[in-house]
Amino acid sequence: MFFDPFSLMFSIFPLIVIVLFVVVLVRNLREWSRNNAAPRLSVPATVVTKRRATHPIAGTHTVSTTYYATFQFGSGDRLELRLPWHDAGMIAEGDHGTLHFQGTRYLGFDRDQTT
């Protein structure tokens, strides 16, 4: 019998893709489940930094942007959360307010009103 590395590659490649898909799916379901089990918290916090990450979309000439903010609590602990695009532009570094979150899920940020 003749060993053909290309046949082996084309039979293993779909298996690798399926395994990676399942691993990502399980990881996301686990995080979703942990977030749902976590209590909803509303805590005074300060926005200490913001960042964004861009990811190319396969097969296109466009990119996807993900926004993050790091919040610091009175205890000095920090938490980085992913923000929806419509909130990312409304939050600035140095803002003080109340952070609403559940596990690693951002629920909102109410900026303190200063007059």
Side-chain angles (χ1 to χ4, degrees), residues 19-59:
V19 168
L20 287 175
F21 178 78
V22 170
V23 167
V24 169
L25 181 66
V26 167
R27 192 175 91 175
N28 287 339
L29 285 173
R30 196 174 285 161
E31 180 180 4
W32 178 80
S33 178
R34 271 190 246 121
N35 283 340
N36 285 343
R40 289 178 178 238
L41 300 175
S42 296
V43 181
T46 301
V47 179
V48 291
T49 188
K50 288 175 44 176
R51 71 179 180 94
R52 65 179 177 207
T54 56
H55 315 280
I57 298 175

Side-chain angles (χ1 to χ4, degrees), residues 56-63:
I57 298 175
T60 68
H61 295 288
T62 59
V63 295

Side-chain angles (χ1 to χ4, degrees), residues 11-102:
S11 63
I12 291 178
F13 183 72
L15 180 63
I16 292 172
V17 170
I18 290 169
V19 168
L20 287 175
F21 178 78
V22 170
V23 167
V24 169
L25 181 66
V26 167
R27 192 175 91 175
N28 287 339
L29 285 173
R30 196 174 285 161
E31 180 180 4
W32 178 80
S33 178
R34 271 190 246 121
N35 283 340
N36 285 343
R40 289 178 178 238
L41 300 175
S42 296
V43 181
T46 301
V47 179
V48 291
T49 188
K50 288 175 44 176
R51 71 179 180 94
R52 65 179 177 207
T54 56
H55 315 280
I57 298 175
T60 68
H61 295 288
T62 59
V63 295
S64 170
T65 304
T66 306
Y67 301 93
Y68 299 91
T70 300
F71 298 90
Q72 183 169 324
F73 306 110
S75 64
D77 292 333
R78 291 183 175 196
L79 176 65
E80 182 180 65
L81 297 173
R82 189 170 129 189
L83 303 176
W85 66 269
H86 51 82
D87 283 2
M90 301 300 291
I91 294 174
E93 290 182 11
D95 281 351
H96 301 279
T98 303
L99 172 65
H100 309 282
F101 66 101
Q102 184 178 21

